[in-house]
Amino acid sequence: MTSRLEVFNPATGEKIRSVPEQSAQQVKESIERSHRAFQQWSKTSAKHRASLLKKWFDLIGEHQKELAKIITLENGKPYQEALGEVTYAAGYIEWYAEEAKRVYGRTVPASVTNKRIIVTRQAVGPVAAITPWNFPAAMITRKAAPALAAGCTFIIKPAPDTPLTALELVRLGHVAGIPEDVLQCVIGDGEEIGSIFTNHPFIRKITFTGSTPVGKQLMKNSASTVKHLSMELGGHAPLIVDQDANIDLAVKQTMLSKFRNAGQTCVCANRLIVHESIKDQFADRLNQEVAKLKVGNGLEEGVSVGPIINQKGFQKIVEQINDAVDKGANVLIGAKYDVDDEKSCYFVHPTILTNVDLSMKIMHEETFGPVAPIITFQTLEEAIKLANDTPYGLAAYFFTENYRRGIYLSEQLDYGMVGWNDGGPSTVQAPFGGMKESGIGREGGQEGIEPYLETKYLSIGLDE
Ligand code: NAP
């Protein structure tokens, strides 16, 4: 009998619906279909692929409200945020529909007169993707759109908490005319499907967004078949507020960076590093804004902070808060929880911690929750050292009106994405991704299609 995955609303504990899971054999068959489909799809014209992507983009636009509702139901984020995610997710499809037509090769002057050198690009082959629950739409389109544009076929394994958004996106892709075997979705256990993907010779590329430990495992497992890899992994973003920052702007952007999606984003400001001279002013202003946030079911009017996705995520947040408080942190606001264990509903009220120091777990571990710990600094070198003191290197933010200090900071921070007076730099036109243990490769922008392309060099001899 086919096993089914039950999907629950994290805000109410209600079952939304169940979906069939694929067996190991069915996943292998999907890979075989993907391999066969690649032979045709990779030979289609870029213009043709672009037109299908454009239709997919249009259909998502027509169904944006339904999609946003699905996201809120299974992920919990407030409906307006979910609508924003749909627009953001669709943006990648539109962007790569356009980029599909701009995959260029080049000719290279040879060092001898009787040869010609031509460099071309071609699709890497069937791609397997594994994605997390925190952006159930965007984490898929950011991969699928460039892959399909490049001429790759694509199989997605979404997170078990949020498969419904993935299934709906794929359905709309098929309605748009993308062949079923070119764009597939498989549901089931990550470890099992991950192992099939990494070991199967037909899969030529693994693209993963999720935690760093799982990313490392996938990299190890991919070694035996030497696959192309893209890894979008965890983060531990510092947000520096310098002495000459515009404090109102810094507070506004910190709110955006920290509390969106209940703090469950990889680019969330995880550590607020604030100049000693303005720490009280900044904390007071932030406190005023945090007090306005409303926690609850994302489908209710006015709710700005939804539930934590599951008990495991909730426990980690509570553990970090308790650890900080035990070691001397003050709770300025928050550290309150609404919990219904029977229904598996977990809400964390937005929290600000002051008097934070480096002995606390929250300074070293990704939180994935609405908690803002404030640590202070006196010199810029101290701020930079604090910011870079982590194996992660995804996003960093800083606030200063002083361009000399700003340029210096931007160059010293070991992060793939840096927001200067900007708490939300992520956009389809720009390369998203991290340094160090935050990953390999970039998604978005002109860089985002590169990981789906192989380079081939043709040397033509002209001797008779
Ligand atoms: P996760 O535990 O790594 O899970 C992500 C996906 O991997 C899920 O589909 C999961 O499915 C699958 N998975 C888990 N174990 C696996 C294994 N051994 N082999 C193959 N697949 C496996 O991450 P998460 O907790 O859901 O997501 C949050 C993490 O994602 C955070 O660390 C966050 O920073 C990161 N993230 C990064 C970015 C970025 O762009 N850099 C964006 C968003 C999120 P199963 O549960 O079915 O196994």
Side-chain angles (χ1 to χ4, degrees):
M1 207 178 81
T2 314
S3 63
R4 297 187 73 86
L5 173 69
E6 300 197 325
V7 189
F8 295 93
N9 180 340
T12 62
E14 281 158 6
K15 184 170 141 186
I16 308 167
R17 74 181 165 99
S18 71
V19 291
E21 290 186 305
Q22 275 70 54
S23 65
Q25 183 53 32
Q26 285 171 316
V27 174
K28 285 179 195 154
E29 284 163 13
S30 283
I31 294 173
E32 281 155 23
R33 286 200 300 277
S34 190
H35 171 72
R36 279 195 298 275
F38 177 75
Q39 314 311 320
Q40 277 92 51
W41 180 251
S42 58
K43 292 185 186 75
T44 57
S45 71
K47 190 171 180 212
H48 174 69
R49 298 194 296 273
S51 73
L52 296 184
L53 285 169
K54 182 70 177 44
K55 278 188 203 148
W56 193 17
F57 166 77
D58 290 340
L59 276 171
I60 291 174
E62 285 166 30
H63 291 80
Q64 58 175 325
K65 290 186 179 158
E66 297 96 294
L67 271 164
K69 190 165 175 207
I70 296 172
I71 292 176
T72 299
L73 282 173
E74 64 179 356
N75 163 288
K77 70 176 68 178
Y79 178 71
Q80 286 306 324
E81 260 188 50
L83 262 183
E85 182 183 342
V86 175
T87 305
Y88 174 65
Y92 283 100
I93 300 176
E94 185 184 40
W95 174 266
Y96 286 107
E98 292 153 0
E99 286 296 288
K101 296 175 275 182
R102 296 189 239 294
V103 173
Y104 304 129
R106 68 189 204 279
T107 58
V108 182
S111 54
V112 287
T113 54
N114 61 347
K115 285 201 179 189
R116 297 292 180 270
I117 298 170
I118 298 173
V119 180
T120 55
R121 314 301 307 280
Q122 64 184 53
V124 296
V127 174
I130 300 178
T131 51
W133 48 268
N134 66 338
F135 286 91
M139 295 304 98
I140 293 175
T141 58
R142 214 161 72 172
K143 298 176 186 304
L148 297 175
C152 298
T153 49
F154 191 85
I155 307 177
I156 169 73
K157 202 262 358 140
D161 308 279
T162 57
L164 305 179
T165 309
L167 288 166
E168 183 58 8
L169 280 174
V170 168
R171 187 188 73 79
L172 291 174
H174 296 159
V175 175
I178 300 169
E180 291 197 1
D181 292 347
V182 168
L183 176 63
Q184 300 181 66
C185 181
V186 293
I187 309 282
D189 175 66
E191 198 169 349
E192 187 186 10
I193 295 181
S195 151
I196 299 171
F197 282 167
T198 50
N199 286 308
H200 206 295
F202 286 168
I203 295 294
R204 291 311 315 143
K205 179 177 175 71
I206 300 283
T207 172
F208 173 70
T209 298
S211 61
T212 295
V214 173
K216 287 179 181 176
Q217 191 59 51
L218 289 167
M219 287 171 76
K220 271 191 204 150
N221 296 354
S222 297
S224 63
T225 47
V226 192
K227 297 203 193 305
H228 289 256
L229 293 171
S230 288
M231 295 281 145
E232 292 285 346
L233 308 177
H236 198 235
L239 183 151
I240 300 171
V241 187
D242 199 9
Q243 59 199 13
D244 44 22
N246 172 336
I247 294 191
D248 282 343
L249 175 72
V251 167
K252 186 173 162 205
Q253 296 295 314
T254 303
M255 293 298 295
L256 173 74
S257 169
K258 178 67 256 184
F259 297 106
R260 187 168 54 113
N261 206 9
Q264 303 171 107
T265 84
C266 53
V267 291
C268 259
N270 217 88
R271 299 167 286 152
L272 310 190
I273 303 173
V274 181
H275 196 274
E276 185 69 34
S277 63
I278 51 155
K279 69 166 197 266
D280 293 336
Q281 209 186 339
F282 176 79
D284 286 351
R285 284 284 298 107
L286 190 67
N287 193 3
Q288 285 167 23
E289 293 307 311
V290 168
K292 293 179 193 163
L293 296 175
K294 188 174 166 204
V295 178
N297 182 341
L299 285 179
E300 282 168 19
E301 198 61 35
V303 165
S304 41
V305 178
I308 300 305
I309 191 75
N310 54 34
Q311 191 194 27
K312 194 170 150 224
F314 172 74
Q315 273 169 346
K316 187 179 180 199
I317 299 165
V318 175
E319 218 179 275
Q320 287 191 8
I321 294 177
N322 289 346
D323 169 76
V325 171
D326 287 348
K327 291 174 180 160
N330 298 326
V331 177
L332 202 59
I333 189 169
K336 285 198 205 128
Y337 317 104
D338 301 330
V339 175
D340 187 333
D341 269 320
E342 231 164 77
K343 291 183 175 165
S344 292
C345 295
Y346 304 94
F347 293 86
V348 175
H349 286 254
T351 302
I352 303 175
L353 301 174
T354 57
N355 204 32
V356 165
D357 65 43
L358 287 178
S359 70
M360 300 169 187
K361 277 186 190 168
I362 199 159
M363 281 292 111
H364 307 283
E365 292 176 7
E366 189 179 32
T367 305
F368 244 58
V371 188
I374 300 180
I375 191 164
T376 59
F377 72 94
Q378 283 179 340
T379 67
L380 213 50
E381 291 310 321
E382 220 184 304
I384 292 164
K385 189 161 180 288
L386 278 171
N388 286 341
D389 182 21
T390 167
Y392 295 109
L394 191 57
Y397 310 89
F398 66 82
F399 292 85
T400 180
E401 298 296 304
N402 179 320
Y403 81 94
R404 286 180 206 282
R405 289 169 77 90
I407 296 282
Y408 184 65
L409 271 169
S410 71
E411 289 171 356
Q412 296 303 310
L413 292 170
D414 295 333
Y415 287 84
M417 294 172 282
V418 178
W420 178 352
N421 290 343
D422 184 5
S426 175
T427 175
V428 298
Q429 301 89 337
F432 187 108
M435 296 181 180
K436 292 154 75 179
E437 293 191 17
S438 285
I440 298 174
R442 295 294 182 267
E443 294 184 337
Q446 71 185 68
E447 288 84 354
I449 198 165
E450 286 293 320
Y452 299 96
L453 295 166
E454 279 281 16
T455 297
K456 185 182 275 178
Y457 145 52
L458 173 68
S459 179
I460 309 173
L462 298 178
D463 278 343
E464 302 222 338

